[in-house]
Structures are given as C-alpha cells and as structure tokens.
Amino acid sequence: MNGASSGGGGGAGAGGDGPLVYQRWKGNNVFVLQGRFIFGPDARSLYVTMFLIIAPASIFCLFVAKELMNNFSYGLGLPVMISAVVFTAYDLSLLLLTSGRDPGIIPRNAHPPEPEGLDGNAEVGSNQTPPMRLPRVKDVVVNGITVKTKYCDTCMLYRPPRCSHCSICNNCVERFDHHCPWVGQCIGLRNYRFFYMFVFSTTLLCLYVFGFCWVYIVKIRNSEQITIWKAMAKTPASIALLVYTFIAVWFVGGLSVFHLYLMSTNQTTYENFRYRYDQRANPYNRGVMENIKDIFFSAIPASKNNFRARVPVPQEQGLRPRPTNGFMSPNMGRAVGDIEMGRKPVAWDEPRMAADIGDLGAGLGNLLEDKDGRFRSASPDLSRDALAIGGLDDQGSSVMNPGRTSWGVEAGR
C-alpha cells in the first residue's frame, strides 16, 4: 500500500480531468479515504499502539470498574466506569489527530530554483555557457541570530528554518521534531500539539487505572478483613494492570516531562540532539510563557497541500526533465552518500571533463558520412581492437566504439 495507489481509483475523478494530488504523491505516505487522511509508511504500527491502549482499558472496565460499581456507595462507581471509557476514547482521538493529518509537509518543486550567480571555480571553453551552481546553504537571520538553511535535493528547495527532510516519509516537514514509530507519522508544525496531548493523556490514563486498581484491592481487604497480599491474590486482573501501568507510566510520563522541557525552551527533539542549545544561543526561545503559548494557544497553520485537488496540467508536464542550461546542482561533483554523512567527497575535475568533451567532439568530426548515410571512413587511429564504449586511450582522450554506428548517425542528424 503506497501513497500513489491507496484510497481507491475512484479519486481519478469523473470526467477524466486528471489524477488527484495524493495519487501522484512522491513521498512514502499512505492515504486513506481518498486522501482525507495521510499517514506515514509505518502506519500499521498504529494497530499496536491502539491495542496497547484499548486492551488494558477494557480489562479495567470489565474486572475492576464493574466491581467498583457494586462496592461504591451513593452510585460513585458508575462515574469511574464512564470516566475510564471517555478517557480512553479521548486518548484514541488524539492519536488519530496526531497520525492522520499533514504534519507540515512542504510541497516539492517541479524544478530546482533559479541559480543566483556564476560559479567562478568552473573552467569551460569560451564557446560554452559557464555553469551556474546553487549554494549548498543559505544564511537566514532569526531574531538577530544567523541560521543556516540547507538545500534539499529531493524536494528541490531551500528548507525554511527548523525544517528537515524525513528519510522515512521522504518529505520536508516544517518545524520537524521527529518521526514517531508509535503513531506512524512525522511530528511537526501541524501535529506537535496533538502529539503532546496524546502522550500526556496516556500518562494520566495510566495513573487513573493504576490508582483505582489499588482502590479496588483496598476495598477487598477492608471488606474481608484480610491482608493486602491475600486481597491482591483475589484480583489477578488488578495485579496485571498494576504491573502494566507502572511500566508504561515511566515511558509516557518520561516522554511528557521531556517534551515539556522542550516546549518551555522552544526546542524540537531534532534540535536538542543535533544543535545542543544548552551550549549555544537558541534563536527561537522567547521565554517560557510565550513558548508554551506558541504551542497550545496559537492558530495551527493551514496545510500547504490539498491532497484531493486535481493535479494541474503544467505540473504534470513539469515532472519531465527540462534543459538545465548549464545549471549545476549544489551536490554536483560530490559522491553519492557523502552529502549528508559528512565524509570527504570525491573531487570533481571540471577542467579534465571539459578537455575530455573537447577530445570527444574532435573525434566525432573525423567521422564522415556518404550520401547513403553510412560511414565513409574513420580515423586510422581508431582501430576496432583498441576501442571500448566510453573508454579512454593511452593519452586520456575519449574514444568511441565504431561498432555503435547507429549512435553516430543519430548524433550527426
């Protein structure tokens, strides 16, 4: 199941006006209900997360809350059951809001941005247009502090500040925090609020179940005048829930505290591990109250993607390569895999490449055609035994295999 095919073929639309955006999506996302919900490629992990919430909540309602309804006076047992059901439903709805919405994906460009200047290091022939190179990074001033923004080769755009490219979803996400496997989605600008509310409400649900399990055990002890250990033995479901919630609360509770710290200092998880703002100035920190207000009380920006809209015809045509007119990518001359990993790149010998291209052009000029379109003769230096496709001779000049005459005819047209 992938982003281009999920959701059914009916989204192609009546009237044949073209496909919908989610059907031509280049990321690794999974779309549900014809583009109304967007998930990450690991969306199946949601089943595990939902089971880890629903299963203990169901056990609590069946074996603990139900018994408390009979033991509490004045009808106080019924609110315990209702509160558990409502709390669980609320927690699951926050999970869906976190995992099923656009986290802040920046749409890709169909083409690279226009180069801003010439690359003075390139050496080309006088008859050729000098190549233009995009800078790898750009400096942006945020609250008086210079922040570097990087160029994304996949999305062909300069990432805004606090934006990062998720390698799992294959999208650039605004205010990227992390990719959470438990919710199967990136956590970013548009769903971070719901993510924290989900984690915090899960913590409260664990404490709720843990507390009332102890209440039930104490009531058994008091009613039967037995020890606490014998009372625990009479309700194995409570024992299982106590162990489960005790372990879970350390995980979700610790996560809640950690993200509370991040919100109070206006950091993301990615920034906290990568930039270490405790050792350098944080350009986004505006004070604890303003930082918390920015997360919970500011308007959530509208999505920059309309997944159920028609793909414009020019955009469909723009997916095909266009002439670069001498444009050079920021990563031209850098070995694949060296860009993000920080390894020493392989040198790009532009003068050597220009010389090789010139030698190849001279060799093509020696190939003459007769009136029937066949080769009349070739340079006597180009022997069949010494030539190889795309090879070099002893002097380092490019050569061509005369056996590939069809290529030569095409190039001569």
Side-chain angles (χ1 to χ4, degrees), residues 50-287:
M50 294 175 66
F51 174 79
L52 293 176
I53 296 173
I54 295 175
S58 301
I59 294 174
F60 174 79
C61 291
L62 292 175
F63 298 100
V64 179
K66 184 178 179 181
E67 296 298 327
L68 286 174
M69 291 175 60
N70 301 327
N71 295 331
F72 268 122
S73 58
Y74 306 107
L76 295 179
L78 182 60
V80 174
M81 172 75 78
I82 295 177
S83 298
V85 174
V86 172
F87 215 153
T88 303
Y90 172 71
D91 198 37
L92 293 175
S93 64
L94 289 173
L95 174 62
L96 182 61
L97 286 173
T98 302
S99 60
R101 65 187 290 126
D102 176 6
I105 299 172
I106 299 179
R108 302 186 183 195
N109 287 332
H111 307 292
E114 293 297 331
E116 296 181 354
L118 298 177
D119 184 0
N121 296 327
E123 299 178 10
V124 295
S126 58
N127 295 330
Q128 299 180 9
T129 303
M132 307 181 76
R133 186 190 299 273
L134 286 171
R136 180 63 185 163
V137 296
K138 282 186 176 182
D139 291 338
V140 177
V141 178
V142 179
N143 295 328
I145 300 177
T146 301
V147 177
K148 294 186 179 297
T149 60
K150 297 177 65 177
Y151 179 82
C152 180
D153 298 283
T154 303
C155 300
M156 293 186 288
L157 52 82
Y158 282 98
R159 303 169 189 163
R162 315 195 84 177
C163 173
S164 185
H165 190 92
C166 176
S167 59
I168 299 176
C169 293
N170 198 23
N171 297 311
C172 278
V173 179
E174 290 186 282
R175 201 187 184 278
F176 177 79
D177 190 89
H178 69 288
H179 183 95
C180 181
W182 294 100
V183 303
Q185 180 63 282
C186 290
I187 307 302
L189 178 66
R190 301 190 67 251
N191 65 348
Y192 182 80
R193 175 188 305 178
F194 302 107
F195 168 76
Y196 182 79
M197 294 171 65
F198 163 69
V199 173
F200 184 68
S201 65
T202 304
T203 303
L204 295 180
L205 182 60
C206 288
L207 294 176
Y208 183 87
V209 172
F210 185 87
F212 276 101
C213 284
W214 273 115
V215 169
Y216 181 48
I217 292 174
V218 170
K219 280 195 167 291
I220 293 177
R221 184 197 65 177
N222 294 338
S223 62
E224 300 186 11
Q225 298 296 318
I226 56 178
T227 63
I228 192 71
W229 300 108
K230 292 183 178 180
M232 292 173 65
K234 288 181 174 293
T235 172
S238 296
I239 302 302
L241 290 174
L242 286 173
V243 174
Y244 177 84
T245 54
F246 179 79
I247 296 174
V249 79
W250 283 102
F251 175 73
V252 292
L255 202 59
S256 300
V257 173
F258 174 66
H259 278 278
L260 183 62
Y261 160 74
L262 293 180
M263 288 188 296
S264 64
T265 56
N266 207 334
Q267 298 184 61
T268 64
T269 303
Y270 180 81
E271 292 169 348
N272 181 261
F273 284 94
R274 184 177 179 88
Y275 299 119
R276 304 297 300 177
Y277 282 141
D278 54 345
Q279 302 175 4
R280 54 188 294 187
N282 182 358
Y284 310 104
N285 191 356
R286 298 185 297 171

Side-chain angles (χ1 to χ4, degrees), residues 344-380:
K344 184 177 180 181
V346 179
W348 180 261
D349 194 349
E350 293 177 359
R352 172 65 177 273
M353 291 301 296
D356 290 344
I357 293 173
D359 292 340
L360 179 58
L364 291 175
N366 293 329
L367 299 176
L368 303 178
E369 299 180 7
D370 60 14
K371 295 182 180 179
D372 297 331
R374 298 172 297 178
F375 288 113
R376 185 182 63 190
S377 63
S379 173

Side-chain angles (χ1 to χ4, degrees), residues 131 138 142 144 194 257 305 315 338 389 406:
K138 282 186 176 182
V142 179
F194 302 107
V257 173
N305 304 278
Q315 183 175 345
D338 293 340
I389 298 175
S406 61

